Amino acid sequence: MTSPQAAPLANAGPALHAPLLASAQIVFAQVSINFGAALAKGLFVSLAPEQVAALRSGIAALLLLALVRPWRRRAAFSRRDIGWCALYGLALGGMNLMMYAAFERIAIGIACAIEICGPLAVVLLTTRRPRDFAWLALAIGGLVLLMPWPGRAHASDPVGIALALGAAACWALYIMLGRRAARVGAPNAVAIGMVAACLVTVPAGLARGLPALDAPVLALAATVAVLSSALPYVLEMRAMGQLPSRVVGLISSAGPATAALIGFVVLGEALGPWQWLAIAVLVTASAGCSLGTAPPVSKLREEPLT
């Protein structure tokens, strides 16, 4: 028989264990997303970036439809709800397409660091506090460090930077449209949205010609879809209910640094000192913004499962 004094101590273990496990799931999801990005870039030797984006979106859509089966809940949402999910998915498809095109030209760590400016912009649209604009100024400073100034070693391709900025704009739209799409439930919204994303990625992929698909390429594309979409989706959905959104945003802010490290290990993408400094500045701006915002806003910092 446990004494009343001992009962809180007995329950302390599980109470502490759940947040730690949830944090580990978010971290693992970040590693999975970025490792999938590195594998996707490895496919560029056989396929165009647009074709890789089409394959990944198509396979991810099939996996999510099989997992979620949104048609079983069709009575719970209207045509208007489906329309918002479709718009959300189009933004998702544009983000995938531009990020893969950016990966072809610049390191994945740099592309992910630039892309993180999208959520920062959304936060600034929902707040007017001076300290949030200070984080914006810090993020702009990080972008300035990445600009291909004349004579700088390890200069990034300007077209790649522009494409990553386009992906950041799509991420901002993804977040704003996601608020409406989430009315049908997060699993349904992501599944329907991924199908809509294919309306962007598949035509772009076919425009580059019919790819020569063999078993190894299809297997690697399926692996990319699982690592970059299905697996992190499941992990983050489970973890979100256990952690404050500030903590989720803080952990997600480390994504660019994780991408840079994985890019170096898997792809041999060595960055220069100014590029590492720029990534550190952008990560700091994102983390500060996540910690400083109110819960309804910080929830927007959730990583897109794409």
Coordinates of all heavy atoms in Angstrom, one line a residue, residues 82-185:
I82 N -13.3 21.7 -47.9 CA -12.4 21.0 -48.8 C -11.6 22.1 -49.7 O -10.5 21.9 -50.0 CB -13.2 20.1 -49.7 CG1 -13.8 19.0 -48.9 CG2 -12.3 19.5 -50.8 CD1 -14.7 18.0 -49.6
G83 N -12.3 23.2 -50.0 CA -11.7 24.2 -50.8 C -10.5 24.8 -50.0 O -9.4 25.1 -50.6
W84 N -10.6 25.1 -48.7 CA -9.5 25.6 -47.9 C -8.4 24.6 -47.9 O -7.2 25.0 -47.9 CB -10.0 26.0 -46.5 CG -10.8 27.2 -46.4 CD1 -12.1 27.4 -46.1 CD2 -10.3 28.6 -46.7 NE1 -12.4 28.7 -46.2 CE2 -11.3 29.5 -46.5 CE3 -9.0 29.1 -47.1 CZ2 -11.2 30.8 -46.7 CZ3 -8.9 30.4 -47.3 CH2 -9.9 31.3 -47.1
C85 N -8.7 23.3 -47.8 CA -7.7 22.3 -47.7 C -7.0 22.2 -49.1 O -5.7 22.0 -49.1 CB -8.3 20.9 -47.5 SG -8.9 20.7 -45.8
A86 N -7.7 22.5 -50.2 CA -7.1 22.5 -51.5 C -6.1 23.7 -51.6 O -5.0 23.5 -52.1 CB -8.1 22.5 -52.6
L87 N -6.5 24.8 -51.2 CA -5.6 26.0 -51.2 C -4.4 25.8 -50.4 O -3.3 26.1 -50.8 CB -6.4 27.3 -50.8 CG -7.5 27.8 -51.7 CD1 -8.2 28.9 -51.1 CD2 -6.9 28.2 -53.0
Y88 N -4.6 25.2 -49.2 CA -3.5 24.9 -48.3 C -2.5 23.9 -49.0 O -1.3 24.1 -48.9 CB -4.1 24.3 -47.0 CG -3.3 23.4 -46.2 CD1 -2.4 23.9 -45.2 CD2 -3.4 22.0 -46.3 CE1 -1.7 23.1 -44.4 CE2 -2.6 21.1 -45.5 CZ -1.8 21.7 -44.5 OH -1.1 20.9 -43.7
G89 N -3.1 22.9 -49.7 CA -2.2 22.0 -50.4 C -1.5 22.6 -51.6 O -0.4 22.2 -51.9
L90 N -2.1 23.6 -52.3 CA -1.4 24.2 -53.4 C -0.2 25.0 -52.9 O 0.9 25.0 -53.5 CB -2.4 25.2 -54.1 CG -3.5 24.5 -54.9 CD1 -4.5 25.6 -55.4 CD2 -3.0 23.6 -56.0
A91 N -0.4 25.6 -51.7 CA 0.8 26.3 -51.1 C 1.9 25.3 -50.7 O 3.1 25.5 -50.9 CB 0.3 27.1 -49.9
L92 N 1.4 24.2 -50.2 CA 2.3 23.1 -49.9 C 3.1 22.6 -51.1 O 4.3 22.4 -51.0 CB 1.6 21.9 -49.2 CG 2.3 20.7 -48.8 CD1 3.3 21.0 -47.7 CD2 1.3 19.7 -48.3
G93 N 2.4 22.4 -52.2 CA 3.0 22.0 -53.4 C 4.0 23.0 -53.9 O 5.1 22.6 -54.4
G94 N 3.7 24.3 -53.9 CA 4.6 25.3 -54.3 C 5.8 25.3 -53.5 O 7.0 25.5 -54.0
M95 N 5.7 25.1 -52.2 CA 6.8 25.1 -51.3 C 7.8 24.0 -51.6 O 9.0 24.1 -51.7 CB 6.3 25.0 -49.8 CG 7.4 25.0 -48.8 SD 6.7 25.1 -47.1 CE 5.7 23.7 -47.0
N96 N 7.2 22.8 -51.8 CA 8.0 21.6 -52.1 C 8.8 21.8 -53.4 O 10.0 21.6 -53.5 CB 7.1 20.4 -52.3 CG 6.8 19.8 -51.0 OD1 7.4 20.0 -50.0 ND2 5.7 18.9 -51.0
L97 N 8.1 22.4 -54.4 CA 8.7 22.5 -55.7 C 9.8 23.5 -55.7 O 10.9 23.3 -56.2 CB 7.6 23.0 -56.7 CG 7.9 22.8 -58.2 CD1 8.1 21.4 -58.6 CD2 6.7 23.4 -59.0
M98 N 9.6 24.6 -55.0 CA 10.7 25.7 -55.0 C 11.8 25.2 -54.1 O 13.0 25.6 -54.4 CB 10.1 27.0 -54.6 CG 9.4 27.7 -55.7 SD 8.9 29.4 -55.4 CE 7.3 29.1 -54.6
M99 N 11.5 24.5 -53.0 CA 12.6 24.1 -52.2 C 13.5 23.1 -52.9 O 14.8 23.1 -52.8 CB 12.1 23.4 -50.9 CG 11.8 24.5 -49.8 SD 13.2 25.4 -49.3 CE 14.1 24.3 -48.2
Y100 N 12.9 22.1 -53.7 CA 13.7 21.2 -54.4 C 14.6 21.9 -55.5 O 15.7 21.5 -55.7 CB 12.9 20.1 -55.0 CG 12.6 19.0 -54.0 CD1 12.5 19.2 -52.6 CD2 12.5 17.6 -54.4 CE1 12.2 18.2 -51.7 CE2 12.2 16.6 -53.5 CZ 12.1 16.9 -52.1 OH 11.9 15.9 -51.2
A101 N 14.0 22.9 -56.1 CA 14.7 23.6 -57.1 C 15.8 24.4 -56.5 O 16.9 24.5 -57.0 CB 13.8 24.6 -57.9
A102 N 15.6 24.9 -55.2 CA 16.7 25.6 -54.5 C 17.8 24.6 -54.1 O 19.0 24.9 -54.1 CB 16.1 26.3 -53.3
F103 N 17.4 23.4 -53.7 CA 18.4 22.4 -53.3 C 19.4 22.1 -54.4 O 20.5 21.7 -54.2 CB 17.7 21.1 -52.9 CG 17.0 21.1 -51.5 CD1 16.1 20.1 -51.2 CD2 17.2 22.1 -50.6 CE1 15.4 20.1 -50.0 CE2 16.6 22.2 -49.4 CZ 15.7 21.2 -49.1
E104 N 18.9 22.2 -55.6 CA 19.8 21.9 -56.8 C 20.9 22.9 -56.9 O 22.0 22.7 -57.4 CB 18.9 21.9 -58.1 CG 19.7 21.5 -59.3 CD 18.9 21.5 -60.6 OE1 18.0 22.4 -60.7 OE2 19.2 20.7 -61.5
R105 N 20.7 24.2 -56.4 CA 21.6 25.3 -56.6 C 22.4 25.6 -55.3 O 23.5 26.2 -55.4 CB 20.8 26.5 -57.1 CG 20.2 26.3 -58.5 CD 19.3 27.5 -58.8 NE 18.8 27.3 -60.2 CZ 19.5 27.8 -61.3 NH1 20.6 28.4 -61.1 NH2 19.0 27.7 -62.5
I106 N 21.8 25.4 -54.1 CA 22.4 25.8 -52.9 C 22.4 24.7 -51.9 O 21.6 23.7 -52.0 CB 21.8 27.1 -52.3 CG1 20.3 26.9 -52.0 CG2 22.0 28.3 -53.2 CD1 19.7 28.1 -51.3
A107 N 23.2 24.7 -50.8 CA 23.2 23.7 -49.8 C 21.8 23.7 -49.1 O 21.2 24.7 -48.9 CB 24.3 24.0 -48.8
I108 N 21.5 22.5 -48.6 CA 20.1 22.3 -48.0 C 20.1 23.1 -46.7 O 19.0 23.6 -46.3 CB 19.8 20.8 -47.8 CG1 20.7 20.1 -46.9 CG2 19.7 20.1 -49.1 CD1 20.3 18.7 -46.5
G109 N 21.2 23.2 -46.0 CA 21.2 24.0 -44.7 C 20.9 25.5 -45.0 O 20.1 26.1 -44.2
I110 N 21.4 26.0 -46.1 CA 21.2 27.4 -46.4 C 19.7 27.6 -46.9 O 19.1 28.5 -46.5 CB 22.2 27.9 -47.5 CG1 23.6 27.9 -46.9 CG2 21.8 29.3 -48.0 CD1 24.7 28.2 -48.0
A111 N 19.3 26.7 -47.7 CA 17.9 26.8 -48.2 C 16.9 26.7 -47.0 O 15.9 27.5 -47.0 CB 17.6 25.7 -49.2
C112 N 17.1 25.8 -46.1 CA 16.2 25.7 -44.9 C 16.3 26.9 -44.0 O 15.3 27.3 -43.4 CB 16.6 24.4 -44.1 SG 16.2 22.9 -45.0
A113 N 17.5 27.5 -43.9 CA 17.6 28.7 -43.1 C 16.9 29.9 -43.7 O 16.2 30.6 -43.0 CB 19.1 29.1 -42.9
I114 N 16.9 30.0 -45.0 CA 16.2 31.1 -45.7 C 14.7 30.8 -45.5 O 13.9 31.7 -45.3 CB 16.6 31.2 -47.1 CG1 18.1 31.6 -47.2 CG2 15.7 32.2 -47.9 CD1 18.6 31.6 -48.6
E115 N 14.3 29.6 -45.7 CA 12.8 29.2 -45.7 C 12.2 29.5 -44.4 O 11.0 29.8 -44.3 CB 12.7 27.7 -46.0 CG 11.2 27.3 -46.3 CD 11.0 25.8 -46.2 OE1 11.8 25.1 -45.5 OE2 10.1 25.3 -46.8
I116 N 13.0 29.5 -43.3 CA 12.4 29.7 -42.0 C 11.9 31.1 -41.8 O 11.2 31.4 -40.8 CB 13.5 29.3 -40.9 CG1 12.8 28.8 -39.6 CG2 14.4 30.5 -40.5 CD1 13.7 28.2 -38.6
C117 N 12.3 32.0 -42.7 CA 11.8 33.4 -42.7 C 10.3 33.4 -42.9 O 9.6 34.4 -42.5 CB 12.5 34.3 -43.7 SG 14.3 34.5 -43.3
G118 N 9.7 32.4 -43.5 CA 8.3 32.4 -43.8 C 7.4 32.5 -42.5 O 6.6 33.4 -42.3
P119 N 7.7 31.5 -41.5 CA 7.0 31.6 -40.2 C 7.2 32.9 -39.5 O 6.3 33.4 -38.8 CB 7.5 30.4 -39.5 CG 7.9 29.5 -40.5 CD 8.5 30.3 -41.6
L120 N 8.5 33.4 -39.6 CA 8.8 34.7 -38.9 C 7.9 35.8 -39.4 O 7.4 36.7 -38.7 CB 10.2 35.1 -39.1 CG 11.2 34.2 -38.3 CD1 12.7 34.6 -38.7 CD2 11.0 34.3 -36.8
A121 N 7.7 35.8 -40.8 CA 6.8 36.9 -41.4 C 5.4 36.7 -40.9 O 4.7 37.8 -40.6 CB 6.9 36.7 -42.9
V122 N 4.9 35.5 -40.7 CA 3.5 35.3 -40.2 C 3.4 35.8 -38.8 O 2.4 36.5 -38.4 CB 3.1 33.8 -40.3 CG1 1.8 33.6 -39.6 CG2 3.1 33.3 -41.7
V123 N 4.4 35.6 -38.0 CA 4.4 36.1 -36.6 C 4.3 37.6 -36.6 O 3.5 38.2 -35.8 CB 5.6 35.6 -35.8 CG1 5.7 36.3 -34.5 CG2 5.6 34.1 -35.6
L124 N 5.0 38.3 -37.4 CA 5.0 39.7 -37.5 C 3.7 40.3 -37.9 O 3.3 41.4 -37.6 CB 6.1 40.2 -38.4 CG 7.5 40.0 -37.9 CD1 8.6 40.4 -38.9 CD2 7.7 40.8 -36.6
L125 N 2.9 39.5 -38.7 CA 1.6 39.9 -39.1 C 0.6 39.8 -37.9 O -0.5 40.4 -38.0 CB 1.1 39.0 -40.3 CG 1.8 39.2 -41.6 CD1 1.3 38.2 -42.6 CD2 1.6 40.7 -42.1
T126 N 0.9 39.1 -36.9 CA 0.0 38.9 -35.8 C 0.4 39.6 -34.5 O -0.2 39.4 -33.5 CB -0.2 37.4 -35.5 OG1 1.1 36.8 -35.2 CG2 -0.7 36.7 -36.7
T127 N 1.5 40.4 -34.5 CA 2.0 41.0 -33.3 C 2.5 42.4 -33.7 O 2.9 42.6 -34.9 CB 3.1 40.2 -32.7 OG1 3.5 40.9 -31.4 CG2 4.3 40.1 -33.5
R128 N 2.6 43.3 -32.7 CA 3.1 44.6 -32.9 C 4.1 45.0 -31.8 O 4.4 46.1 -31.6 CB 2.0 45.7 -33.0 CG 1.1 45.6 -34.2 CD 1.8 45.9 -35.5 NE 1.0 45.8 -36.6 CZ 0.8 44.7 -37.3 NH1 1.4 43.6 -37.0 NH2 0.0 44.7 -38.4
R129 N 4.6 44.0 -31.1 CA 5.6 44.3 -30.0 C 7.0 44.6 -30.6 O 7.4 43.9 -31.5 CB 5.6 43.1 -29.1 CG 4.3 42.9 -28.3 CD 4.4 41.7 -27.4 NE 4.7 40.5 -28.1 CZ 4.7 39.3 -27.5 NH1 4.6 39.1 -26.2 NH2 4.9 38.2 -28.3
P130 N 7.6 45.6 -30.0 CA 8.9 46.0 -30.5 C 10.0 44.8 -30.6 O 10.8 44.7 -31.5 CB 9.4 47.1 -29.6 CG 8.1 47.6 -29.1 CD 7.2 46.5 -29.0
R131 N 9.9 44.0 -29.6 CA 10.9 42.9 -29.5 C 10.8 41.9 -30.7 O 11.7 41.3 -31.1 CB 10.9 42.2 -28.2 CG 9.6 41.4 -27.9 CD 9.7 40.7 -26.6 NE 8.5 40.0 -26.2 CZ 8.3 39.4 -25.1 NH1 9.2 39.4 -24.1 NH2 7.1 38.8 -24.9
D132 N 9.5 41.8 -31.2 CA 9.3 40.9 -32.3 C 10.0 41.5 -33.6 O 10.5 40.7 -34.4 CB 7.9 40.6 -32.5 CG 7.3 39.7 -31.4 OD1 8.0 38.8 -30.9 OD2 6.1 40.0 -31.1
F133 N 9.9 42.8 -33.7 CA 10.6 43.4 -34.8 C 12.1 43.4 -34.7 O 12.8 43.4 -35.7 CB 10.1 44.9 -35.0 CG 8.7 45.0 -35.5 CD1 7.6 45.1 -34.6 CD2 8.4 44.9 -36.8 CE1 6.3 45.1 -35.1 CE2 7.1 44.9 -37.3 CZ 6.1 45.1 -36.4
A134 N 12.6 43.3 -33.4 CA 14.0 43.1 -33.2 C 14.4 41.7 -33.8 O 15.5 41.6 -34.4 CB 14.4 43.2 -31.8
W135 N 13.6 40.7 -33.6 CA 13.9 39.4 -34.2 C 13.9 39.4 -35.7 O 14.7 38.8 -36.4 CB 12.9 38.3 -33.7 CG 13.0 38.0 -32.2 CD1 11.9 38.1 -31.3 CD2 14.1 37.7 -31.5 NE1 12.4 37.9 -30.1 CE2 13.7 37.5 -30.1 CE3 15.5 37.4 -31.8 CZ2 14.6 37.2 -29.1 CZ3 16.3 37.0 -30.8 CH2 15.9 36.9 -29.5
L136 N 13.0 40.3 -36.3 CA 12.9 40.5 -37.7 C 14.2 41.1 -38.2 O 14.8 40.6 -39.2 CB 11.8 41.4 -38.1 CG 11.7 41.8 -39.6 CD1 11.6 40.6 -40.5 CD2 10.7 42.9 -39.8
A137 N 14.7 42.1 -37.5 CA 16.0 42.7 -37.9 C 17.1 41.7 -37.8 O 18.0 41.7 -38.7 CB 16.2 43.9 -36.9
L138 N 17.1 40.9 -36.8 CA 18.1 39.8 -36.7 C 18.1 38.9 -37.9 O 19.1 38.5 -38.5 CB 18.0 39.1 -35.4 CG 19.1 38.1 -35.1 CD1 20.4 38.9 -34.9 CD2 18.8 37.3 -33.8
A139 N 16.8 38.5 -38.3 CA 16.7 37.6 -39.4 C 17.1 38.2 -40.7 O 17.8 37.6 -41.6 CB 15.2 37.2 -39.6
I140 N 16.8 39.5 -40.9 CA 17.3 40.2 -42.1 C 18.8 40.3 -42.1 O 19.4 40.1 -43.2 CB 16.7 41.7 -42.1 CG1 15.2 41.6 -42.4 CG2 17.4 42.5 -43.2 CD1 14.5 42.9 -42.3
G141 N 19.4 40.5 -40.9 CA 20.9 40.4 -40.9 C 21.4 39.1 -41.3 O 22.5 39.0 -42.0
G142 N 20.7 38.0 -40.9 CA 21.2 36.6 -41.4 C 21.1 36.5 -42.9 O 22.0 35.9 -43.5
L143 N 20.0 37.0 -43.5 CA 19.9 37.0 -44.9 C 20.9 37.8 -45.6 O 21.5 37.3 -46.7 CB 18.5 37.5 -45.3 CG 17.3 36.6 -45.0 CD1 16.0 37.3 -45.3 CD2 17.4 35.3 -45.7
V144 N 21.3 38.9 -45.1 CA 22.4 39.7 -45.7 C 23.7 39.0 -45.7 O 24.4 39.1 -46.6 CB 22.5 41.1 -44.9 CG1 23.8 41.8 -45.3 CG2 21.3 42.0 -45.1
L145 N 23.9 38.2 -44.6 CA 25.2 37.4 -44.6 C 25.2 36.4 -45.7 O 26.3 35.9 -46.1 CB 25.3 36.8 -43.2 CG 25.6 37.7 -42.0 CD1 25.5 36.9 -40.7 CD2 27.0 38.3 -42.2
L146 N 24.0 35.9 -46.1 CA 24.0 34.9 -47.1 C 24.0 35.4 -48.6 O 24.2 34.6 -49.5 CB 22.7 34.0 -47.0 CG 22.6 33.1 -45.8 CD1 21.3 32.5 -45.7 CD2 23.7 32.0 -45.9
M147 N 23.9 36.7 -48.7 CA 23.9 37.3 -50.1 C 25.3 37.1 -50.8 O 26.3 37.1 -50.1 CB 23.6 38.8 -50.0 CG 22.2 39.1 -49.6 SD 20.9 38.5 -50.7 CE 20.2 37.1 -49.8
P148 N 25.2 36.8 -52.1 CA 26.5 36.5 -52.8 C 27.3 37.8 -53.1 O 27.3 38.2 -54.3 CB 26.0 35.8 -54.1 CG 24.6 36.4 -54.3 CD 24.0 36.7 -52.9
W149 N 27.8 38.4 -52.1 CA 28.6 39.6 -52.3 C 29.8 39.3 -53.2 O 30.4 38.3 -53.1 CB 29.0 40.2 -51.0 CG 27.9 40.5 -50.1 CD1 27.6 39.9 -48.9 CD2 26.8 41.5 -50.2 NE1 26.4 40.4 -48.3 CE2 26.0 41.4 -49.1 CE3 26.6 42.5 -51.2 CZ2 24.8 42.2 -49.0 CZ3 25.5 43.3 -51.1 CH2 24.6 43.1 -50.0
P150 N 30.3 40.3 -54.0 CA 31.4 40.1 -54.9 C 32.7 39.8 -54.0 O 32.9 40.4 -53.0 CB 31.6 41.4 -55.6 CG 30.2 42.0 -55.6 CD 29.6 41.6 -54.3
G151 N 33.4 38.8 -54.5 CA 34.7 38.4 -53.9 C 34.6 37.6 -52.7 O 35.6 37.1 -52.1
R152 N 33.4 37.2 -52.2 CA 33.2 36.4 -51.1 C 33.4 34.9 -51.4 O 32.8 34.4 -52.4 CB 31.9 36.6 -50.4 CG 31.6 35.7 -49.2 CD 30.3 36.0 -48.5 NE 30.4 37.2 -47.8 CZ 29.4 37.8 -47.1 NH1 28.3 37.2 -47.1 NH2 29.6 38.9 -46.4
A153 N 34.2 34.2 -50.7 CA 34.3 32.7 -50.9 C 33.0 32.1 -50.4 O 32.3 32.6 -49.6 CB 35.5 32.2 -50.0
H154 N 32.7 30.9 -51.0 CA 31.5 30.1 -50.7 C 30.2 30.9 -50.9 O 29.2 30.8 -50.2 CB 31.5 29.7 -49.2 CG 32.7 28.8 -48.8 ND1 32.7 27.4 -49.1 CD2 33.9 29.0 -48.3 CE1 33.8 26.9 -48.7 NE2 34.5 27.8 -48.2
A155 N 30.2 31.8 -51.9 CA 29.0 32.5 -52.3 C 27.9 31.6 -52.7 O 28.2 30.7 -53.5 CB 29.4 33.6 -53.3
S156 N 26.7 31.9 -52.3 CA 25.6 31.1 -52.7 C 25.0 31.6 -54.0 O 25.1 32.8 -54.4 CB 24.5 31.1 -51.6 OG 25.0 30.6 -50.4
D157 N 24.4 30.7 -54.8 CA 23.8 31.0 -56.1 C 22.6 31.9 -55.8 O 21.7 31.6 -55.0 CB 23.3 29.7 -56.7 CG 22.8 30.0 -58.1 OD1 21.6 30.3 -58.2 OD2 23.5 29.8 -59.1
P158 N 22.5 33.1 -56.5 CA 21.4 34.0 -56.3 C 20.1 33.5 -56.7 O 19.1 33.8 -56.0 CB 21.8 35.3 -57.1 CG 22.8 34.8 -58.1 CD 23.5 33.6 -57.4
V159 N 20.0 32.7 -57.7 CA 18.8 32.1 -58.1 C 18.3 31.1 -57.0 O 17.1 31.0 -56.7 CB 18.9 31.4 -59.5 CG1 17.6 30.6 -59.9 CG2 19.3 32.4 -60.6
G160 N 19.2 30.3 -56.5 CA 18.9 29.4 -55.4 C 18.3 30.1 -54.2 O 17.4 29.7 -53.6
I161 N 18.9 31.3 -53.9 CA 18.4 32.1 -52.8 C 17.0 32.6 -53.0 O 16.2 32.6 -52.2 CB 19.4 33.3 -52.5 CG1 20.7 32.7 -51.9 CG2 18.8 34.3 -51.5 CD1 21.8 33.8 -51.8
A162 N 16.8 33.1 -54.3 CA 15.5 33.5 -54.7 C 14.4 32.4 -54.6 O 13.3 32.7 -54.1 CB 15.5 34.1 -56.1
L163 N 14.8 31.2 -55.0 CA 13.9 30.1 -54.9 C 13.5 29.7 -53.4 O 12.4 29.4 -53.1 CB 14.4 28.9 -55.6 CG 14.5 29.0 -57.1 CD1 15.4 27.9 -57.7 CD2 13.1 28.8 -57.7
A164 N 14.6 29.8 -52.6 CA 14.3 29.5 -51.2 C 13.4 30.6 -50.5 O 12.6 30.3 -49.7 CB 15.6 29.4 -50.4
L165 N 13.6 31.8 -51.0 CA 12.7 32.9 -50.5 C 11.3 32.7 -51.0 O 10.3 32.9 -50.3 CB 13.2 34.3 -51.0 CG 14.4 34.8 -50.2 CD1 15.0 36.1 -50.9 CD2 14.1 35.1 -48.8
G166 N 11.1 32.2 -52.2 CA 9.8 31.8 -52.7 C 9.2 30.7 -51.9 O 8.0 30.7 -51.6
A167 N 10.0 29.7 -51.5 CA 9.5 28.7 -50.6 C 9.1 29.2 -49.3 O 8.1 28.7 -48.7 CB 10.6 27.6 -50.5
A168 N 9.8 30.2 -48.8 CA 9.5 30.8 -47.5 C 8.1 31.5 -47.6 O 7.3 31.4 -46.7 CB 10.5 31.8 -47.1
A169 N 7.9 32.2 -48.7 CA 6.6 32.8 -48.9 C 5.4 31.8 -49.0 O 4.4 32.0 -48.4 CB 6.6 33.6 -50.2
C170 N 5.7 30.6 -49.6 CA 4.7 29.6 -49.7 C 4.5 29.0 -48.3 O 3.3 28.6 -47.9 CB 5.2 28.5 -50.6 SG 5.0 28.9 -52.4
W171 N 5.5 28.9 -47.5 CA 5.4 28.4 -46.1 C 4.5 29.4 -45.3 O 3.6 28.9 -44.5 CB 6.8 28.3 -45.4 CG 6.7 27.5 -44.1 CD1 5.6 27.1 -43.4 CD2 7.8 27.1 -43.3 NE1 6.0 26.4 -42.3 CE2 7.3 26.5 -42.2 CE3 9.2 27.3 -43.5 CZ2 8.2 26.0 -41.2 CZ3 10.1 26.8 -42.5 CH2 9.5 26.1 -41.4
A172 N 4.7 30.7 -45.5 CA 3.8 31.6 -44.8 C 2.3 31.4 -45.2 O 1.4 31.4 -44.4 CB 4.2 33.0 -45.1
L173 N 2.1 31.2 -46.5 CA 0.7 31.0 -47.0 C 0.2 29.6 -46.4 O -1.0 29.5 -46.0 CB 0.7 30.9 -48.5 CG 0.8 32.2 -49.3 CD1 1.0 32.0 -50.8 CD2 -0.4 33.1 -49.0
Y174 N 1.1 28.6 -46.4 CA 0.7 27.3 -45.8 C 0.2 27.5 -44.4 O -0.8 26.9 -44.0 CB 2.0 26.5 -45.9 CG 2.0 25.2 -45.1 CD1 1.7 24.0 -45.6 CD2 2.4 25.2 -43.7 CE1 1.7 22.8 -44.9 CE2 2.5 24.1 -43.0 CZ 2.1 22.9 -43.6 OH 2.2 21.7 -42.8
I175 N 0.9 28.3 -43.6 CA 0.5 28.5 -42.2 C -0.9 29.2 -42.1 O -1.8 28.8 -41.4 CB 1.6 29.3 -41.5 CG1 2.8 28.5 -41.3 CG2 1.1 29.7 -40.1 CD1 4.0 29.2 -40.8
M176 N -1.0 30.3 -42.9 CA -2.2 31.1 -42.8 C -3.4 30.3 -43.3 O -4.5 30.3 -42.8 CB -2.1 32.4 -43.6 CG -1.1 33.3 -42.9 SD -0.9 35.0 -43.7 CE -0.1 34.5 -45.2
L177 N -3.2 29.6 -44.5 CA -4.3 28.8 -45.0 C -4.6 27.5 -44.1 O -5.7 27.0 -44.1 CB -4.0 28.3 -46.4 CG -3.9 29.4 -47.5 CD1 -3.3 28.9 -48.8 CD2 -5.3 30.0 -47.7
G178 N -3.5 27.1 -43.5 CA -3.7 25.9 -42.6 C -4.7 26.2 -41.4 O -5.3 25.2 -40.9
R179 N -4.8 27.4 -41.0 CA -5.7 27.8 -39.9 C -7.2 27.4 -40.4 O -7.9 26.8 -39.6 CB -5.7 29.3 -39.6 CG -4.5 29.7 -38.9 CD -4.5 31.2 -38.8 NE -3.6 31.8 -37.8 CZ -3.4 33.0 -37.6 NH1 -4.1 33.9 -38.3 NH2 -2.5 33.4 -36.7
R180 N -7.5 27.7 -41.6 CA -8.8 27.4 -42.1 C -9.0 25.9 -42.4 O -10.0 25.3 -42.1 CB -9.0 28.2 -43.4 CG -9.0 29.7 -43.3 CD -10.3 30.2 -42.9 NE -10.4 31.7 -43.0 CZ -11.5 32.4 -42.9 NH1 -12.7 31.7 -42.7 NH2 -11.5 33.7 -43.0
A181 N -7.9 25.3 -43.0 CA -8.0 23.9 -43.4 C -8.1 23.0 -42.1 O -8.7 22.0 -42.2 CB -6.7 23.5 -44.2
A182 N -7.5 23.5 -41.0 CA -7.5 22.7 -39.8 C -8.9 22.4 -39.2 O -9.1 21.6 -38.3 CB -6.6 23.3 -38.8
R183 N -9.9 23.1 -39.8 CA -11.3 22.9 -39.3 C -11.8 21.5 -39.5 O -12.7 21.0 -38.9 CB -12.2 23.9 -39.9 CG -12.0 25.4 -39.5 CD -12.9 26.3 -40.2 NE -12.6 27.7 -39.8 CZ -13.2 28.8 -40.4 NH1 -14.1 28.6 -41.4 NH2 -12.9 30.0 -40.0
V184 N -11.2 20.8 -40.5 CA -11.6 19.5 -40.8 C -10.8 18.5 -40.0 O -10.9 17.3 -40.2 CB -11.5 19.2 -42.3 CG1 -12.3 20.2 -43.1 CG2 -10.0 19.1 -42.8
G185 N -9.9 19.0 -39.2 CA -9.0 18.1 -38.4 C -7.7 18.0 -39.1 O -7.6 17.9 -40.3

